Amino acid sequence: MTAQYRVADSKREEFRKYLEKAGVMDALTKVLVNLYEEPEKPANALDFMKEHLHAGPADTADIEALKNEVSDLRQKVEQLTVENNELKQRMKALSVQPCKNEKQLLWGPETPGE
């Protein structure tokens, strides 16, 4: 029966070392210390931990900055789409008919001497 306890203790110790190496123990300790030092304890300690472990809601300023960037990029896409369509129309209007001979290639449709 003691062999079972040793195996369980060994696995537990291995897991503890893994958590320490990954920084989980430090992060949890810091959050728990912050919760302990909080003058007014929050109604929901789990939400407090989530927010302080950065698993909670994202920073409002970051969200606003990203929304503004998305808006600016959408306007830029719209502007470039309009410009692209205008250039396509200009290309279509300026498109040249295929040349019938070398003179027409050099002089255009009105070749000299014709």
Side-chain angles (χ1 to χ4, degrees):
M1 196 146 153
T2 57
Q4 269 185 325
Y5 288 120
R6 281 190 212 143
V7 170
D9 284 344
S10 172
K11 287 183 178 181
R12 192 173 300 133
E13 182 64 23
E14 187 178 318
F15 186 67
R16 186 189 61 74
K17 286 179 182 178
Y18 161 75
L19 293 176
E20 282 181 3
K21 186 176 180 182
V24 174
M25 297 295 276
D26 286 339
L28 285 174
T29 301
K30 287 177 185 175
V31 170
L32 290 171
V33 167
N34 287 340
L35 180 59
Y36 176 77
E37 292 175 347
E38 193 71 25
E40 289 187 33
K41 302 298 182 226
N44 191 331
L46 186 56
D47 285 342
F48 178 90
M49 291 185 68
K50 286 179 183 178
E51 288 176 19
H52 286 79
L53 281 172
H54 303 292
D59 187 19
T60 309
D62 289 342
I63 292 172
E64 278 305 310
L66 290 172
K67 284 181 180 180
N68 289 337
E69 185 178 356
V70 166
S71 177
D72 292 346
L73 290 172
R74 284 185 176 154
Q75 288 176 352
K76 185 71 172 174
V77 166
E78 187 177 331
Q79 176 188 8
L80 290 172
T81 301
V82 168
E83 183 181 342
N84 187 20
N85 288 335
E86 289 172 359
L87 290 172
K88 283 180 182 178
Q89 290 299 321
R90 284 180 59 195
M91 288 289 293
K92 195 174 188 181
L94 295 174
S95 68
V96 184
Q97 297 297 321
C99 296
K100 295 179 183 170
N101 58 43
E102 288 180 23
K103 286 182 186 176
Q104 190 179 17
L105 178 63
L106 294 173
W107 300 100
E110 297 176 17
T111 55
E114 284 187 15

